[in-house]
Structures are given as structure tokens and as C-alpha cells.
Amino acid sequence: MMPGGLTKARPATEKIQEIADKVRPQLEKEINERYEKFEAVEYKTQVVAGVNFFIKVNVGNGSFTHIKVFQGLGGEDDLELTGYQTNKTEEDELNYF
């Protein structure tokens, strides 16, 4: 993995779903909406002073949300939602944002 660059998209794993689930309340509070469905489908990573996870999440009704989660050097307890893009489709590519 090249430091600073994004990896290729990969299918979401159980670990990626756990990361998405941990920041879900933060996202729902920020956008003032509750999702019935919140299923991670794919992700990319970027190595920085920690790791940025770019995760495509199926939120139901054919709608997707892209979330950016920073995991600091403290590990799985050091997660922060640092960005999001709503109103995405299944075909929309995960890109840096």
C-alpha cells in the first residue's frame, strides 16, 4: 500500500462493518436522520498518521452514503467520522473527499 494513496476498492469485511457501525450515531446526529439499513459494501484505505477508511454504505431504498473514518494510532477505539457524502448510487465510485 502506497502511503498517502488510496487502495483499490475491496468488498467490505466484518471489521469494516464494525467501523461503520461505530461512527453511525455520529453520522445520524450530524445529518439529523436515522437509517433503517446501514450495510458497508466496499471500502478503500489511505495510510496517513493512522488510516483513513472510505466506506460505501447501503442505506436502503437504492441509496448509498460514502463515509470517511479516521483511525488514529490508538487503534479501534480511536475512530472519528471526518467526512461523508450522501445521495450516492451503487455505481458511484469511492473517491477521496
Side-chain angles (χ1 to χ4, degrees):
M1 184 181 333
M2 181 177 76
L6 286 180
T7 62
K8 291 183 179 175
R10 294 173 287 200
T13 62
E14 192 174 314
K15 176 188 174 195
I16 297 303
Q17 183 65 55
E18 288 171 8
I19 290 170
D21 288 342
K22 285 182 181 178
V23 300
R24 178 181 181 172
Q26 202 177 339
L27 174 64
E28 290 179 336
K29 182 178 180 185
E30 196 153 320
I31 64 172
N32 197 27
E33 187 175 334
R34 293 194 49 80
Y35 294 118
E36 286 184 33
K37 182 176 188 174
F38 203 75
E39 178 187 341
V41 292
E42 70 177 21
Y43 73 103
K44 293 181 178 181
T45 58
Q46 175 191 36
V47 175
V48 288
V51 179
N52 280 322
F53 291 90
F54 294 82
I55 306 171
K56 181 185 287 189
V57 180
N58 181 343
V59 293
N61 298 320
S63 189
F64 291 76
T65 295
H66 295 179
I67 60 174
K68 179 177 161 185
V69 180
F70 175 72
Q71 182 178 40
L73 300 175
E76 293 190 22
D77 292 330
D78 188 8
L79 296 173
E80 179 185 356
L81 178 71
T82 56
Y84 60 89
Q85 296 177 328
T86 58
N87 301 316
K88 294 293 191 174
T89 67
E90 188 172 8
E91 291 77 30
D92 287 335
E93 183 179 349
L94 273 172
N95 290 310
Y96 183 87
F97 59 91

